[in-house]
Amino acid sequence: MKATHILITSAVLTLGEVALVEPDGPDAARGGAAWAQDGAQDGDDNGGGSDDGGGAARGGNGGGSDDGPRRMRRQVVPAVTVAPPPVAAAREIVVADLSAEALDRALAEGFSVLREDRLAALGQTLTRLQSPDGLSLEAARDRVRLLPGGEDADLNHYYRPETGEAGQAEACGHENCAEFGLIGWPADGACQVSVPIGMIDTGVNAQHDILASARLEVMRIADPASQAATAVHGTAVSSLLVGGVDSRVPGLLPGAEVVAVDAFTRDAGDERADVATLLVGLDLLVGRGIRVVNLSLAGPGNAVLAGVLDALAKQDRVVIVAAAGNGGAAAPAAWPAAHPGVIAVTAVDARGRAY
């Protein structure tokens, strides 16, 4: 990363460390006021006039009454450590189809029910439990897994948008779009799609001029009490799919119908969707008869998510396409793209090599 330098009088501030010029001799008693002056203060850069040392300190010829040499003292300032975003919701365990008997046992042990969602299309009931006080999240998960029907219990993991180059979409002109040529995509919009496409993402600005002619439906399912995520990522992904032919960003499938589910919330600068909300959105799309779903998001493996994807793969009900992540070849496998029943999509360079 390129270091950032800010010039403040004679102090150069660098991220992670501060280098200060400190005077010796008589000037020190004045708190360093003289050494902060520019050499041109009393004339020119050659140090003319009665400069108290500023001219010489700046490398001039030392004219005037310079008080002597300066020395450099380097002070190392501890770098500010930014905590990584949370992997999962605090004190939340997600489990599918927990029996009434098992739920009673969990409640007796101090768990409480935060919410239940009936996933009608998926044929499951999703329960969000709050863990007891004093029990770690992993220990709470492991305890629920010991209950009848709780074998797939897991943390309420977070999943985050995978931007890739989506944010660059508006810079691409249709007639000169290198990406279209790289993958051999028909530039005349000849590739037609007869089935609706579902996507789970952040909000979408359906009034954007790029999407003015798009067949686009947006449904928000995220917790209304939470701060909504921005519409930047969802709008970019939508434009890549169904941006108008005559717009600045013609989409790959401008004539297709898209059903977009806004499942994301924002905490400070962290935009995320928990696995429970992600599954509610997936159930909604499957219930609408959507056969193709795009998930430009990624996160950790999750047992409840894996179970739902296993069931969908066996039923051959929907094709799911997900982002492989932006971590590169050495990064851990990103979910849901890592599931064997999901088509994982990665970036390629100008030579077509996978990122």
Side-chain angles (χ1 to χ4, degrees), residues 152-178:
D152 292 338
D154 214 330
L155 314 186
N156 194 6
H157 285 116
Y158 287 132
Y159 296 80
R160 294 177 170 85
E162 290 295 316
T163 302
E165 295 300 316
Q168 308 286 331
E170 294 194 17
C172 177
H174 190 54
E175 63 276 10
N176 298 317
C177 185

Side-chain angles (χ1 to χ4, degrees), residues 126-187:
L126 193 66
T127 303
R128 305 185 204 190
L129 298 172
Q130 184 175 57
S131 61
D133 292 334
L135 195 63
S136 73
L137 203 52
E138 289 74 16
R141 175 200 59 199
D142 294 343
R143 178 66 195 108
V144 176
R145 284 181 174 179
L146 295 176
L147 298 174
E151 294 82 4
D152 292 338
D154 214 330
L155 314 186
N156 194 6
H157 285 116
Y158 287 132
Y159 296 80
R160 294 177 170 85
E162 290 295 316
T163 302
E165 295 300 316
Q168 308 286 331
E170 294 194 17
C172 177
H174 190 54
E175 63 276 10
N176 298 317
C177 185
E179 290 82 356
F180 274 54
L182 179 63
I183 63 176
W185 199 263

Side-chain angles (χ1 to χ4, degrees), residues 137-273:
L137 203 52
E138 289 74 16
R141 175 200 59 199
D142 294 343
R143 178 66 195 108
V144 176
R145 284 181 174 179
L146 295 176
L147 298 174
E151 294 82 4
D152 292 338
D154 214 330
L155 314 186
N156 194 6
H157 285 116
Y158 287 132
Y159 296 80
R160 294 177 170 85
E162 290 295 316
T163 302
E165 295 300 316
Q168 308 286 331
E170 294 194 17
C172 177
H174 190 54
E175 63 276 10
N176 298 317
C177 185
E179 290 82 356
F180 274 54
L182 179 63
I183 63 176
W185 199 263
D188 58 359
C191 184
Q192 302 297 323
V193 175
S194 59
V195 298
I197 300 171
M199 57 177 275
I200 301 177
D201 214 294
T202 69
V204 177
N205 179 10
Q207 281 68 52
H208 197 290
D209 58 352
I210 294 172
L211 300 172
S213 60
R215 299 165 62 197
L216 175 65
E217 178 185 357
V218 183
M219 297 178 291
R220 177 164 172 76
I221 65 168
D223 183 359
S226 300
Q227 184 178 14
T230 65
V232 175
H233 189 269
T235 302
V237 173
S238 298
S239 69
L240 291 175
L241 286 171
V242 292
V245 174
D246 298 325
S247 73
R248 300 193 306 277
V249 188
L252 295 166
L253 306 165
E257 176 186 356
V258 169
V259 179
V261 176
D262 176 4
F264 281 75
T265 59
R266 179 173 44 164
D267 183 1
D270 184 25
E271 296 189 334
R272 63 204 188 197

